[in-house]
Amino acid sequence: MVLTNQDMVELVAFRRKLHRMPELSRQEEQTAREVQAFIKATHPDWTLTDLGGHGIAAVYEGREPGPTVMVRAELDGLPIQEISDAPHRSATPGKAHLCGHDGHMAILAALARELSRQQPQRGRAILMFQPAEEDGSGAAAVVADPRFRQIAPDFAFALHNVPGLPFGHVALTEGPVNCASRGLRIVLTGKTAHASMPETGLSPVNVVAQLMPQLTALGKGGPLEEGFSMVTVTHARIGEPAFGVAPAHGEIWVTLRTLTDAGMEELCASAEQLVLSAAREQGLSVEVSYDDIFHHCENAPEAVAHLREALEAEGVPYDRGGLPIRASEDFGRFGQKAPAAMFFLGAGEKHPSLHNPDYDFPDDLIPIGARVFMRTLRNLLG
């Protein structure tokens, strides 16, 4: 794959335009319009829009029968205020592309350019711009969309940039690479009372204070190996900001994290049992619900083999790196439908971390990521 200087100028401009206009999960309407406009100029054979929300799938058909190969990027940004003096910094207060999804989209835009110049010989290439990755709902919505059957892949690939890893170095391995996680929301309800007579009410204060360390103790972290689990209290609230009222309402938000989906089922059951028992002992009613549900990402050996072949052909250095990692990714949903693999592309050892307010995607990663994906597509599709 050869990107010209003009290609790079236009791809960087596209990436920075996306960076200036971040949109949150399930709100990526303008981002999708910009992607559609760029992709339209590369003349895909056909395109699905509004897939699982604002998702886009651009299809490049081969002349002969063959496999369907999907490459995925993400559309959404984050609800974080960017700290930057860059001319392309976010123009939307409180929202920013601080995970690099703008760069991932630019990499797929580069693939679109190349596929427009040389169609696959066989099968078809699918460029998937997925909505709502950050809250874990997007891949599930795409897969649930009845039109997904029209583009169901035989292989699925993705990447994520990783600050802390040497620039341009790839981490890749088989098996679990991203943890399963989900947000557990616990709502406790009792009965208010005058602050001078708390005994006449039913307060959740003691249960909240009891549950926070008990829940954390269910998952203490440690090495990312079989049996790993981690529980992090992220938010708690009791009553209202008033001195005269003993509270009736308590709420705890907790993030549960495990290496595998099977481990998550066990951790959820343990957490729920603990919560219900504590609430019952104090006579409180309790509601438990889950948000931001991420399945673990499993790299299939056959998909990893194709990425390794591409990395070696392109001379991109790789090893296992620090995989698996604690962070979650909803690409795992696609891995439930077809052999899938994600590789992790180093953004530099001293580069600001993902989700940091001063993070920005390094534009020089665009051709590296595009080369690896394009080589993978050519190896499979010609």
Side-chain angles (χ1 to χ4, degrees), residues 112-147:
R113 282 270 172 101
E114 176 68 11
L115 289 167
S116 73
R117 293 164 181 162
Q118 183 183 345
Q119 293 277 119
Q121 292 182 13
R122 56 187 174 273
R124 56 185 177 170
I126 311 289
L127 302 184
M128 168 67 68
F129 296 84
Q130 178 211 306
E133 189 282 325
E134 292 290 353
D135 70 4
S137 68
V142 167
V143 170
D145 191 311
R147 294 173 297 159

Side-chain angles (χ1 to χ4, degrees), residues 69-85:
V69 183
M70 185 184 81
V71 183
R72 185 218 66 164
E74 315 94 317
L75 293 168
D76 51 344
L78 288 159
I80 303 173
Q81 180 65 43
E82 183 174 12
I83 300 173
S84 173
D85 295 326

Side-chain angles (χ1 to χ4, degrees), residues 8 59 61 100 121 128 169 171 175 177 232-233 267 286 327 337 357-358:
M8 282 304 303
V59 183
E61 297 276 6
Q121 292 182 13
M128 168 67 68
H169 189 100
V177 291
T232 307
V233 175
L267 184 57
V286 60
K337 299 296 181 180
D358 56 344

Side-chain angles (χ1 to χ4, degrees), residues 89-378:
R89 64 185 176 274
S90 172
T92 307
K95 300 177 185 179
H97 272 297
L98 301 177
C99 203
H101 293 178
D102 52 340
H104 301 169
M105 287 185 273
I107 288 170
L108 262 63
L111 298 181
R113 282 270 172 101
E114 176 68 11
L115 289 167
S116 73
R117 293 164 181 162
Q118 183 183 345
Q119 293 277 119
Q121 292 182 13
R122 56 187 174 273
R124 56 185 177 170
I126 311 289
L127 302 184
M128 168 67 68
F129 296 84
Q130 178 211 306
E133 189 282 325
E134 292 290 353
D135 70 4
S137 68
V142 167
V143 170
D145 191 311
R147 294 173 297 159
F148 183 73
R149 291 193 293 270
Q150 300 175 38
I151 56 168
D154 297 299
F155 287 98
F157 299 100
L159 65 72
H160 209 293
N161 76 97
V162 181
L165 196 65
F167 186 88
H169 189 100
V170 163
L172 176 67
T173 192
E174 301 172 357
V177 291
N178 291 91
C179 285
S181 73
R182 64 179 63 188
L184 168 62
R185 188 192 307 244
I186 303 158
V187 178
L188 300 156
T189 305
K191 176 184 175 184
T192 59
H194 194 286
S196 69
M197 295 183 292
E199 69 277 8
T200 66
L202 190 58
S203 171
V205 167
N206 290 338
V207 173
V208 170
Q210 170 188 336
L211 281 176
M212 287 195 288
Q214 289 181 341
L215 287 165
T216 302
L218 290 177
K220 296 182 178 180
L224 277 166
E225 55 192 27
E226 187 176 354
F228 166 86
S229 64
M230 174 178 282
V231 179
T232 307
V233 175
T234 62
H235 174 73
R237 183 168 70 89
I238 301 170
E240 303 301 328
F243 291 109
V245 181
H249 178 88
E251 196 163 326
I252 310 172
W253 293 19
V254 180
T255 299
L256 309 177
R257 196 174 305 276
T258 58
L259 184 61
T260 64
D261 295 334
M264 179 58 68
E265 295 303 317
E266 296 176 6
L267 184 57
C268 288
S270 297
E272 288 183 25
Q273 182 178 1
L274 185 65
V275 169
L276 294 173
S277 177
R280 190 181 304 117
E281 288 178 3
Q282 296 295 319
L284 298 166
S285 63
V286 60
E287 294 180 9
V288 170
S289 60
Y290 294 97
D291 297 285
D292 290 17
I293 298 173
F294 291 84
H295 289 257
H296 87 270
C297 286
E298 180 92 12
N299 272 2
E302 57 267 49
V304 170
H306 288 298
L307 287 178
R308 284 188 178 130
E309 184 180 359
L311 290 165
E312 290 168 4
E314 292 297 325
V316 177
Y318 73 94
D319 55 28
R320 183 188 180 95
L323 298 176
I325 60 175
R326 292 178 182 176
S328 300
E329 235 290 351
D330 79 345
F331 182 67
R333 296 277 189 174
F334 296 112
Q336 296 172 355
K337 299 296 181 180
M342 171 179 281
F343 69 93
F344 300 82
L345 181 57
E349 292 171 288
K350 297 182 179 180
H351 198 78
S353 296
L354 301 176
H355 296 211
N356 278 17
D358 56 344
Y359 168 87
D360 191 13
F361 181 87
D363 290 317
D364 288 342
L365 285 182
I366 294 172
I368 301 173
R371 279 169 41 217
V372 175
F373 280 141
M374 199 69 242
R375 177 68 71 167
T376 303
L377 289 173
R378 293 298 181 209

